[in-house]
Amino acid sequence: MILFGLANGPNQPNNHSPESQEEFTPVPLPPDATIIVPVRNTVLFPGMIAPIVIGRPASIAAAQQAVREERPIGILMQRDAHIAEPGPADMHGVGTLANIVRYMTAPDGTHHIICQGVQRIRILDFVNDKPFLAARVLHLPEPEAQGPEIEARFLHLQSQAIEALQLLPQAPQELVAAVQGATSPAQLADLAATYMDIKPEEKQEILETLDLLPRMDKVSRLLAQRIEVLRLTHEIGRQTKAALDERQREAVLREQMAAIQRQLGEGDGRAQEVQELTEKIAKANMPPEVEEQARKELRRYERMPEGATEAAMIRTYLDWLVELPWDLPEEKPIDIAQARRILDEDHFGLEKIKQRIIEYLAVRKLAPNGKAPILCFAGPPGVGKTSLGQSIARAMGRPFVRVSLGGVHDEAEIRGHRRTYVGALPGNIIQAIKKAGARDCVMMLDEIDKMGRGIQGDPSAAMLEVLDPEQNATFRDNYLGVPFDLSRVVFIATANMLDTIPGPLRDRMEIITLAGYTEDEKLQIAQRYLVRRQLEANGLKPEQAEISDEALRRIIRDYTREAGVRNLEREIGRALRHAAVRIAEGSTEHVAIDADDLAAILGPARFEDEVAMRTSVPGVATGLAWTPVGGDILFIEASRAPGKGGLILTGQLGDVMRESAQAALSLVKAKAGALGIAPEMFEKNDIHVHVPAGATPKDGPSAGVAMFTALVSLLSDRTVRSDTAMTGEISLRGLVLPVGGIKEKVTAAARAGLTRVMLPARNRRDFEDIPEEARSRLEFVWLERVDDALAAALEGEPARTSESGTQAA
């Protein structure tokens, strides 16, 4: 490093003169003798001013006599700085002749002289050594060298000196001006050598170099080395300062946080945190592979700075590992009688479903470690699928947790995100396990048919491993990165539709279908559960409000039309809120709601019995339909008008349903003679088939029988029985083919107040699935051919047809 600084000038006052010091007898010297002052590790160049501390008696005597006699002195550097009393042989032969600008004595008694170099000298011989050294010297004038080489070296040396000064943090402006104002190459070389941070021996070598070119080259070479060191030092200093500033800021913040924690009594932070995590890992009873991973991450966490970003990620990861229930709790015995009692308390009806659940629990009791099937409750909304899962958990004495899969379209929702992502978390399965706090919980996978597929992957494919008893014992979540055993979890899925569940996933589950409730079942459910639940929800007591059975039946029949009981519970809640208002106002203490009060409370009836009205004219038949929310009745209306024999289909019908209408018309034309229908009627009339509720898309082949019956009713002018509904697919040979959804369709017929249903004979296998109440209320007609449907559905004898025909409603 270069050390620059300017000494005081010669015009400053002399604070201490030699006379103020101890008396010293002058020594007579020859006229050509020069007083010599030896110095340690100091080289004075001509033209330079430098302070020199003198402490040896000989040096003090020499300086004082030089001041009194106004003589110059010779400054020579010792060869060995450790010699206390140097002699002629202990000093270099070349030095500098200097004038003493000032002599000072400091308050501590030390003596100082400020010298200005004049010229280089060489020692010829010494003439005196007591009490100080004196010698005859040869004055060495500066060479007057000029030329391009000198000028080039001068400019290069000047630029080097300026660059070195710019790299210094606090360079004196006077020195910069001196370098810029130098005109003599020798002066510039001596100036640079004076203030350059190099060894004294190197400075002495420059002083002894009399030729100007070699001297400037030596100074330039040494200065280039120092500039390179300065550059590196500057860069290192800048980087170190930036790092220190950041670390200092972090250290201050950590110290402040530690002080706040101490004030709050929260301990010293990191050490206590690591100790707590170590204890939690030891108590978690993790598998060896997982425990090794946890301790490895804990060691990394312990070595990290407290403010590091990754430290928070590792801490969160360790929290998940230690809080997951790795240890399997003790298996609780399953009481089959109690389980049956719990199911009966929580649900009315559903006898076959309850029996299958009891069988499932019995197998789990006899083989706790066996691979039990994955149950999937499929059925319309509001029939109690989720509550069945809660009842199973109660019967098994295990915690219940629900995972909603509706709308999930990212595979990471099941398997979790990798820890490299910001805000990563485990998947819903692991989160649910942690929430339940037990590895053998009952997990309800709700709305498994509503999962979608997005650009982030297919979550239904990720569910294959979760629901496979052969694979889920080593389920690996992307966030955890270690296997977790799901084999003891009781998985129960729910779905409204099975068509949207991929085949491989459906194959892993045992499907248990729940049909809609009949009117009597809904009444029992309302009496046992819904009214009591809504009384509590609205802050009422049983003695303050009641709803009669007839009012409940009216609500079921006239205000709701659904497979489940959700809307029924909402309407009961509306009625009880009306009672709550009257009781809160203080106008009465008891409210009894009867059937006649419903119009004022709930408004006019939303649904009416349209069957008799719509089937009182020819051309209208009642069909049965399956929907995702249960069965429903479907009206098929046919009319004819003068035309050219075209077929018009309306009601937003799908392709399959349109084909059924075409097949029904073709079959009617083929049987026209046997049915007493004039062939000219098809040529001179257009036939219009309409299915009401045109805003609702409809499709499927099961309306074939109803369309055929409606067309025959229209063209033969005979009405269809108002108490009869029908379903079935037809063929051009007149056969009635089987269809699906028989249980839901028959339940809808009973719910709509019909008394007869006509079903394909090949659907007799589904008769046992129909609820007992619906079977007892309905008359079943089994159809082999379409002729059986006409014989059972049409009323009266065939009417005489005319050329123009009549239009049916």
Side-chain angles (χ1 to χ4, degrees):
M1 189 180 297
I2 302 178
L3 177 63
F4 289 95
L6 290 177
N8 295 327
N11 58 342
Q12 294 181 350
N14 190 355
N15 296 333
H16 299 276
S17 64
E19 288 77 5
S20 62
Q21 307 303 320
E22 180 182 351
E23 287 296 330
F24 187 84
T25 303
V27 177
L29 295 174
D32 58 348
T34 301
I35 298 174
I36 301 300
V37 177
V39 294
R40 296 184 178 96
N41 299 326
T42 300
V43 177
L44 180 65
F45 285 89
M48 303 296 113
I49 298 176
I52 298 175
V53 180
I54 54 177
R56 290 177 286 211
S59 298
I60 295 174
Q64 289 181 357
Q65 183 160 340
V67 170
R68 287 192 183 96
E69 297 179 359
E70 296 183 354
R71 297 166 64 103
I73 61 174
I75 303 297
L76 295 181
M77 188 178 74
Q78 297 179 198
R79 297 182 185 275
D80 187 355
H82 298 92
I83 299 176
E85 298 292 338
D90 299 325
M91 293 179 291
H92 288 281
V94 177
T96 302
L97 186 68
N99 292 325
I100 298 178
V101 178
R102 180 182 298 177
Y103 185 102
M104 296 179 296
T105 302
D108 59 355
T110 57
H111 298 262
H112 304 264
I113 57 174
I114 297 177
C115 301
Q116 183 175 18
V118 178
Q119 190 179 21
R120 285 176 170 80
I121 59 174
R122 186 189 301 277
I123 303 298
L124 298 177
D125 59 337
F126 284 90
V127 298
N128 187 32
D129 59 354
K130 297 295 182 181
F132 51 79
L133 295 173
R136 293 185 179 89
V137 299
L138 174 64
H139 294 263
L140 304 174
E142 291 292 342
E144 296 296 334
Q146 294 182 353
E149 293 186 359
I150 295 296
E151 186 177 357
R153 284 172 171 77
F154 171 77
L155 295 176
H156 179 64
L157 186 59
Q158 190 176 41
S159 65
Q160 283 183 307
I162 292 174
E163 182 180 0
L165 289 171
Q166 290 174 348
L167 290 173
L168 285 174
Q170 295 179 347
Q173 292 300 321
E174 296 86 350
L175 186 55
V176 177
V179 172
Q180 293 175 341
T183 58
S184 169
Q187 178 189 4
L188 180 61
D190 290 344
L191 179 62
T194 298
Y195 297 108
M196 201 187 320
D197 184 16
I198 57 177
K199 298 178 181 179
E201 289 76 11
E202 293 176 332
K203 289 186 177 183
Q204 180 65 33
E205 183 181 353
I206 294 173
L207 183 66
E208 294 178 358
T209 304
L210 301 180
D211 292 339
L212 190 55
L213 282 177
R215 187 196 311 171
M216 296 181 73
D217 288 342
K218 288 181 181 180
V219 174
S220 179
R221 184 178 64 254
L222 292 172
L223 192 55
Q225 295 176 359
R226 305 316 299 171
I227 288 174
E228 186 64 27
V229 172
L230 276 174
R231 287 174 181 167
L232 294 175
T233 303
H234 180 74
E235 180 64 22
I236 293 172
R238 186 185 62 79
Q239 296 176 356
T240 304
K241 184 177 183 302
L244 287 176
D245 288 346
E246 184 64 24
R247 290 180 184 176
Q248 185 177 8
R249 176 177 174 273
E250 293 179 358
V252 170
L253 291 176
R254 282 197 296 269
E255 184 61 31
Q256 290 176 349
M257 184 164 33
I260 293 172
Q261 289 176 341
R262 286 193 296 270
Q263 291 292 330
L264 296 176
E266 295 182 356
D268 58 352
R270 177 59 65 90
Q272 183 178 355
E273 207 173 354
V274 172
Q275 180 63 28
E276 291 176 357
L277 287 172
T278 303
E279 295 175 357
K280 288 181 179 180
I281 292 174
K283 295 178 182 178
N285 291 329
M286 301 177 182
E289 177 185 353
V290 181
E291 184 171 353
E292 181 181 353
Q293 175 72 10
R295 296 191 181 278
K296 176 182 176 182
E297 293 295 331
L298 181 60
R299 289 192 295 270
R300 287 185 59 209
Y301 177 68
E302 190 175 5
R303 291 193 300 267
M304 282 186 177
E306 192 165 348
T309 305
E310 193 176 357
M313 298 171 57
I314 295 178
R315 175 59 202 262
T316 304
Y317 175 71
L318 290 173
D319 286 341
W320 274 100
L321 284 183
V322 299
E323 292 175 10
L324 282 175
W326 299 96
D327 197 16
L328 187 66
E330 183 180 354
E331 188 75 24
K332 296 181 180 179
I334 299 176
D335 189 341
I336 300 300
Q338 182 183 3
R340 185 178 281 111
R341 185 168 57 254
I342 290 174
L343 290 173
D344 290 337
E345 288 176 359
D346 294 346
H347 299 86
F348 177 79
L350 306 176
E351 297 303 328
K352 291 187 177 180
I353 308 299
K354 293 178 184 177
Q355 182 60 34
R356 179 62 188 91
I357 293 173
I358 292 299
E359 294 172 359
Y360 174 83
L361 296 177
V363 173
R364 294 294 298 213
K365 178 179 181 178
L366 297 178
N369 297 324
K371 293 179 174 59
I374 310 296
L375 300 182
C376 177
F377 297 136
V383 295
K385 299 185 295 295
T386 303
S387 59
L388 276 173
Q390 295 173 340
S391 299
I392 293 175
R394 282 185 57 200
M396 300 182 72
R398 298 186 180 186
F400 174 83
V401 64
R402 175 179 168 272
V403 176
S404 178
L405 299 178
V408 172
H409 61 276
D410 188 352
E411 181 188 359
E413 296 285 341
I414 307 299
R415 290 189 176 275
H417 300 79
R418 299 192 182 279
R419 282 190 290 149
T420 53
Y421 297 107
V422 176
L425 283 174
N428 289 336
I429 303 300
I430 296 297
Q431 291 187 40
I433 294 288
K434 178 186 174 184
K435 180 180 178 182
R439 194 158 61 84
D440 62 347
C441 63
V442 176
M443 185 177 297
M444 173 70 75
L445 303 174
D446 216 1
E447 309 293 352
I448 198 170
D449 58 325
K450 305 296 191 304
M451 286 191 299
R453 177 184 298 180
I455 59 175
Q456 296 89 357
D458 186 0
S460 62
M463 290 297 296
L464 294 177
E465 181 183 3
V466 175
L467 298 183
D468 191 342
E470 301 293 338
Q471 302 179 33
N472 60 15
T474 57
F475 174 73
R476 185 177 291 269
D477 187 275
N478 289 332
Y479 180 83
L480 296 182
V482 292
F484 190 90
D485 187 0
L486 299 178
S487 61
R488 304 306 296 275
V489 178
V490 178
F491 289 105
I492 299 175
T494 69
N496 297 130
M497 300 177 62
L498 298 177
D499 297 341
T500 57
I501 303 176
L505 184 59
R506 193 188 321 168
D507 183 63
R508 281 166 165 77
M509 301 183 293
E510 179 180 341
I511 307 299
I512 299 178
T513 304
L514 283 75
Y517 294 113
T518 62
E519 181 178 319
D520 289 342
E521 288 176 333
K522 289 183 179 181
L523 178 62
Q524 292 291 332
I525 293 171
Q527 291 172 341
R528 298 187 183 198
Y529 310 107
L530 304 185
V531 173
R532 182 177 70 248
R533 195 154 60 203
Q534 286 300 315
L535 284 172
E536 295 176 357
N538 293 288
L540 295 172
K541 298 179 181 178
E543 59 269 16
Q544 291 178 313
E546 62 177 334
I547 302 180
S548 65
D549 293 348
E550 186 59 32
L552 292 175
R553 285 188 181 275
R554 184 74 62 84
I555 293 175
I556 294 169
R557 190 178 305 119
D558 297 342
Y559 292 90
T560 62
R561 183 167 290 177
E562 58 178 343
V565 292
R566 284 213 180 107
N567 287 326
L568 174 60
E569 184 172 4
R570 292 191 186 101
E571 297 301 325
I572 292 173
R574 285 184 60 194
L576 290 178
R577 284 195 295 274
H578 175 79
V581 171
R582 296 181 59 189
I583 294 174
E585 290 175 343
S587 58
T588 183
E589 295 182 356
H590 179 78
V591 177
I593 301 174
D594 204 355
D596 298 335
D597 302 324
L598 294 179
I601 298 174
L602 303 179
R606 296 191 186 91
F607 303 97
E608 57 183 349
D609 190 0
E610 299 174 316
V611 176
M613 180 185 69
R614 291 207 176 187
T615 57
S616 61
V617 294
V620 180
T622 304
L624 296 175
W626 179 93
T627 68
V629 295
D632 201 357
I633 59 173
L634 190 70
F635 296 103
I636 308 295
E637 298 179 348
S639 66
R640 59 189 172 93
K644 298 181 179 180
L647 176 63
I648 303 171
L649 301 174
T650 57
Q652 200 170 350
L653 308 182
D655 293 339
V656 177
M657 204 165 184
R658 288 176 174 273
E659 292 171 357
S660 294
Q662 293 281 0
L665 181 59
S666 298
L667 190 58
V668 172
K669 290 180 179 179
K671 292 180 173 290
L675 296 173
I677 302 173
E680 295 81 5
M681 188 172 294
F682 298 104
E683 300 173 358
K684 299 180 179 180
N685 292 278
D686 287 338
I687 297 177
H688 185 175
V689 177
H690 176 67
V691 182
T696 304
K698 311 169 191 70
D699 202 5
S702 61
V705 171
M707 287 183 171
F708 176 79
T709 304
L711 290 174
V712 173
S713 169
L714 170 69
L715 298 175
S716 65
D717 200 23
R718 300 168 63 186
T719 59
V720 180
R721 290 185 56 167
S722 61
D723 60 349
T724 301
M726 61 202 76
T727 185
E729 182 180 0
I730 61 172
S731 71
L732 292 179
R733 294 178 295 165
L735 299 177
V736 178
L737 305 179
V739 294
I742 293 297
K743 178 167 46 175
E744 289 82 0
K745 293 176 180 178
V746 172
T747 303
R751 187 168 60 241
L754 299 170
T755 58
R756 294 173 78 237
V757 290
M758 299 193 304
L759 305 175
R762 292 166 63 181
N763 277 115
R764 285 181 183 271
R765 61 179 181 268
D766 300 314
F767 184 74
E768 292 298 325
D769 295 334
I770 300 173
E772 178 61 33
E773 181 186 351
R775 284 189 287 175
S776 62
R777 293 176 55 180
L778 296 172
E779 177 187 349
F780 292 88
V781 179
W782 303 101
L783 307 177
E784 294 280 356
R785 304 182 60 83
V786 293
D787 299 333
D788 301 334
L790 297 179
L794 296 181
E795 295 179 321
E797 296 295 328
R800 186 177 61 187
T801 59
S802 62
E803 289 291 329
S804 60
T806 58
Q807 181 178 356

